[in-house]
Amino acid sequence: MVRIGYHASHEQHAPSALLRYVREAEAAGFACAMSSEHFKPWSNAQGHSGHAWSWLGAALAGTQLPFGIITAPGYRHHPAVLAQSAATLSEMFPERLWLALGSGQRLNEDVTGLPWPEKAERTARLCECAAVIRALLAGETVTHRGRITVVDAKLYSRPERAPRLLAGAVTPETARCVGQWADGLVTVGIDPAKLRPVFEAFRESGGAGKPIFLQTKVCWDPDPAKALAEAHTQWASNMLEGNVNWELRTPEEFETASRFVRPEDVPGYVRISTDLGQHAAWLAELAELGPAEIIIHQVACDQSRFSEAFGRYVLPKFA
């Protein structure tokens, strides 16, 4: 049976509030959690962006949930430092962390001033970084000179069992590229028809039998007008398609690019309903794809009432 998880959105909530929300989600019956990892929010309406790695230590200590995090190595985060971060958390909290690596977004990675390469180069950089991180987690001493440079790196505090090293992908092309090296896949979406090619590409290219973790976006509120309005306010900037998502530099640029997104456009990207039975049915459709976890991101601001409602009426259907 698929595990249903809670998404901790650092772009939308202060770290102290998110810590409370994951505790409430655990109490409501969510089986796992996932953390975003941003330097900037998508829009000023979201307005937050705490340091996810610092926060994860508190979240793991304050709950019994397993957590995942997706991050981009090779820009803000040197792969050796990422490996050390993951190893430290996994040593303290054995087998409760998975680490997913993605090729990154300029919105977050541009702060270092490094040139922002095209997608093919970012994917190649990702693969190099993944190899370095895996070698370090295995206890090797690593020297590497390529797209990234590592000199005599070694992790002296490692867990007995290394965290699972996953890859993030939202297109079949990227999913196909990472199938060989990744221990699993993380992707995002709401439509089974659009997600199925991503799942299949990963499984066909070396990912057969490996777990897939799916983040999906919902907006629930008892008031339908409020649910739609909040989904539009909070998530219109995230509804841009194509390469623009990876190329824009600031929340202001995302706001400008999404200024013509209408409230009626949002249901194509976020499952919006006041009906908890409908939400359960949507999740059941996603579960048929065979993910190991479905992590629910409630894009509306009221997280406490969401956890209580889903815990009472939705999660029991997947127990």
Side-chain angles (χ1 to χ4, degrees):
M1 182 68 73
V2 65
R3 297 184 298 278
I4 305 297
Y6 173 82
H7 181 69
S9 178
H10 283 276
E11 308 91 279
Q12 296 177 273
H13 307 283
S16 55
L18 274 181
L19 192 57
R20 182 172 75 253
Y21 296 152
V22 294
R23 288 169 175 158
E24 292 173 351
E26 180 180 40
F30 284 88
C32 48
M34 177 179 171
S35 171
S36 64
E37 200 278 297
H38 271 235
F39 194 86
K40 301 173 185 175
W42 301 88
S43 70
N44 289 298
Q46 294 178 346
H48 287 280
S49 202
H51 192 273
W53 285 96
S54 301
W55 179 85
L56 268 176
L60 285 159
T63 70
Q64 295 300 312
L65 295 173
F67 275 82
I69 183 170
I70 181 166
T71 193
Y75 304 96
R76 280 181 301 142
H77 300 299
H78 191 280
V81 178
L82 271 183
Q84 185 186 35
S85 300
T88 296
L89 288 174
S90 295
E91 195 280 332
M92 292 190 293
F93 308 103
E95 298 186 43
R96 287 180 56 201
L97 178 73
W98 53 258
L99 169 59
L101 305 177
S103 58
Q105 295 172 287
R106 194 172 187 177
L107 173 70
N108 298 308
E109 311 310 327
D110 205 54
V111 295
T112 64
L114 289 174
W116 185 242
E118 62 183 4
K119 173 61 175 174
E121 177 64 19
R122 298 202 308 272
T123 299
R125 191 179 187 92
L126 168 64
C127 292
E128 273 194 28
C129 290
V132 166
I133 291 170
R134 188 178 295 281
L136 288 168
L137 291 172
E140 298 177 25
T141 299
V142 176
T143 293
H144 175 88
R145 291 180 174 88
R147 291 175 173 86
I148 47 98
T149 299
V150 186
V151 179
D152 288 338
K154 181 180 178 179
L155 299 181
Y156 289 87
S157 295
R158 293 186 300 115
E160 290 186 10
R161 184 172 181 179
R164 182 176 277 143
L165 193 61
L166 312 180
V170 295
T171 66
E173 292 75 21
T174 302
R176 196 169 289 111
C177 288
V178 301
Q180 288 295 329
W181 65 258
D183 297 331
L185 180 73
V186 182
T187 191
V188 60
I190 66 169
D191 184 350
K194 293 180 178 179
L195 287 163
R196 189 170 288 107
V198 178
F199 279 52
E200 291 175 351
F202 178 71
R203 288 166 173 160
E204 291 168 0
S205 63
K210 298 176 182 178
I212 297 177
F213 299 78
L214 169 62
Q215 187 218 80
T216 194
K217 301 185 188 305
V218 309
C219 192
W220 173 83
D221 190 278
D223 181 341
K226 184 179 178 183
L228 181 59
E230 282 220 61
H232 181 253
T233 299
Q234 289 292 314
W235 222 248
S237 296
N238 302 61
M239 291 166 45
L240 306 172
E241 295 186 338
N243 290 331
V244 68
N245 266 323
W246 324 117
E247 299 295 338
L248 298 182
R249 296 181 58 251
T250 66
E252 291 77 14
E253 288 184 0
F254 272 90
E255 289 168 355
T256 299
S258 61
R259 66 193 183 279
F260 298 121
V261 174
R262 305 165 301 172
E264 55 264 38
D265 297 326
V266 181
Y269 300 85
V270 179
R271 294 295 197 189
I272 305 171
S273 179
T274 62
D275 183 350
L276 292 164
Q278 176 63 76
H279 280 289
W282 281 328
L283 291 173
E285 290 178 353
L286 295 175
E288 291 178 2
L289 296 171
E293 294 182 4
I294 299 175
I295 302 105
I296 304 174
H297 179 185
Q298 155 77 333
V299 303
C301 293
D302 191 340
Q303 301 291 298
S304 299
R305 188 164 53 166
F306 157 77
S307 288
E308 180 182 3
F310 269 61
R312 181 173 298 180
Y313 298 108
V314 177
L315 299 185
K317 300 182 184 299
F318 300 90

